[in-house]
Amino acid sequence: MNTLYRIDSSIQGDRSVTREITDEFERAWSAALPGGRVDRRDLTTTPLSPATWTDALAARETAEPTPQQQTAVDLAATLAGELLAADVIVIGAPLYNWGPSGHLKCWIDMLWTDPRFAPRTYPLTGKSVVLVVSRGGGASPGAPQEGWDHSVPFLLHTFGGEVFGADVTLIETELTLAEHSPAMAHLREKAVQLRTRSHALATETGTALAGLAA
């Protein structure tokens, strides 16, 4: 059975733009592949603790892990197994304070502790990863804050061919704060255009990836 694995990390709930776009992707993928399975993990409703990551790391340095450390190791194995069991992975990754969500970063750190995700293992080779990112302002070429987004380069490097080895598609939406910020009122029309484009790309990508599995 073909499986889509969906990760969400936005703290915005129903107001989240990344959830809105991952919803669109999931709908398109499921419609094009009715027999497919969708597994999900919401990193805000089931958050991971940096302390658990520390325990998982410490367990690698001892022959006899403590019960707490072993629990962390088991959790890391579960997270890694969920990812490896999927054919297609879609990740909602909003920009917070110019970097990735802390929830998402801790999840990635936990993956690193599993032996299957060790350096130079390229565990996601042959899998497709769709990164759905958003940012409130503009950091694209020519924007006043160009280069301030330190999340997208990190995520592309991590999930792409140089580290985890996946084939990565990027769907990014910026200016998401325009509808709420008076100072960005002049950008609202452009913001709507960008959001509409992301919806279309999510539909197109979801349908195409499902088609490859059909």
Side-chain angles (χ1 to χ4, degrees), residues 187-206:
L187 295 171
R188 287 174 183 168
E189 183 176 349
K190 183 177 181 180
V192 170
Q193 293 172 352
L194 293 175
R195 201 152 163 176
T196 300
R197 184 184 67 182
S198 292
H199 273 273
L201 185 55
T203 299
E204 176 186 326
T205 305

Side-chain angles (χ1 to χ4, degrees), residues 17 135-138 173-195:
V17 173
R135 47 184 173 263
T173 310
E174 61 179 14
L175 305 181
T176 62
L177 289 178
E179 63 179 301
H180 307 290
S181 172
M184 298 176 67
H186 63 292
L187 295 171
R188 287 174 183 168
E189 183 176 349
K190 183 177 181 180
V192 170
Q193 293 172 352
L194 293 175
R195 201 152 163 176

Side-chain angles (χ1 to χ4, degrees), residues 6-196:
R6 171 176 169 173
I7 293 287
D8 286 299
S9 63
S10 171
I11 62 175
Q12 296 297 323
D14 293 340
R15 298 178 299 162
S16 166
V17 173
T18 56
R19 291 176 190 271
E20 179 184 311
I21 304 301
T22 51
D23 279 346
E24 188 75 39
F25 178 91
E26 181 183 329
R27 280 193 295 269
W29 187 89
S30 296
L33 195 64
R37 169 177 171 170
V38 180
D39 291 331
R40 304 177 183 85
R41 180 171 285 273
D42 189 326
L43 298 175
T44 63
T45 59
T46 56
L48 301 168
S49 168
T52 304
W53 170 54
T54 302
D55 287 333
L57 282 175
R60 298 167 56 179
E61 307 299 326
T62 178
E64 297 184 10
T66 67
Q68 181 171 304
Q69 291 169 346
Q70 188 58 52
T71 296
V73 169
D74 294 343
L75 176 56
T78 296
L79 298 173
E82 290 173 351
L83 204 56
L84 293 171
D87 301 288
V88 175
I89 300 149
V90 60
I91 301 171
L95 179 73
Y96 292 140
N97 301 321
W98 314 115
S101 157
H103 295 86
L104 186 62
K105 180 63 166 57
C106 193
W107 174 68
I108 293 171
D109 288 339
M110 286 290 287
L111 292 174
W112 275 104
T113 68
D114 187 273
R116 292 168 290 179
F117 280 77
R120 293 178 293 281
T121 58
Y122 311 105
L124 300 184
T125 299
K127 297 183 185 294
S128 296
V129 170
V130 180
L131 294 174
V132 176
V133 305
S134 68
R135 47 184 173 263
S140 56
Q145 295 172 337
E146 177 181 353
W148 285 40
D149 185 332
H150 302 291
S151 178
V152 168
F154 163 73
L155 294 172
L156 289 175
H157 184 76
T158 298
F159 287 96
E162 295 182 13
V163 182
F164 288 170
D167 297 318
V168 179
T169 299
L170 177 65
I171 301 176
E172 54 185 339
T173 310
E174 61 179 14
L175 305 181
T176 62
L177 289 178
E179 63 179 301
H180 307 290
S181 172
M184 298 176 67
H186 63 292
L187 295 171
R188 287 174 183 168
E189 183 176 349
K190 183 177 181 180
V192 170
Q193 293 172 352
L194 293 175
R195 201 152 163 176
T196 300

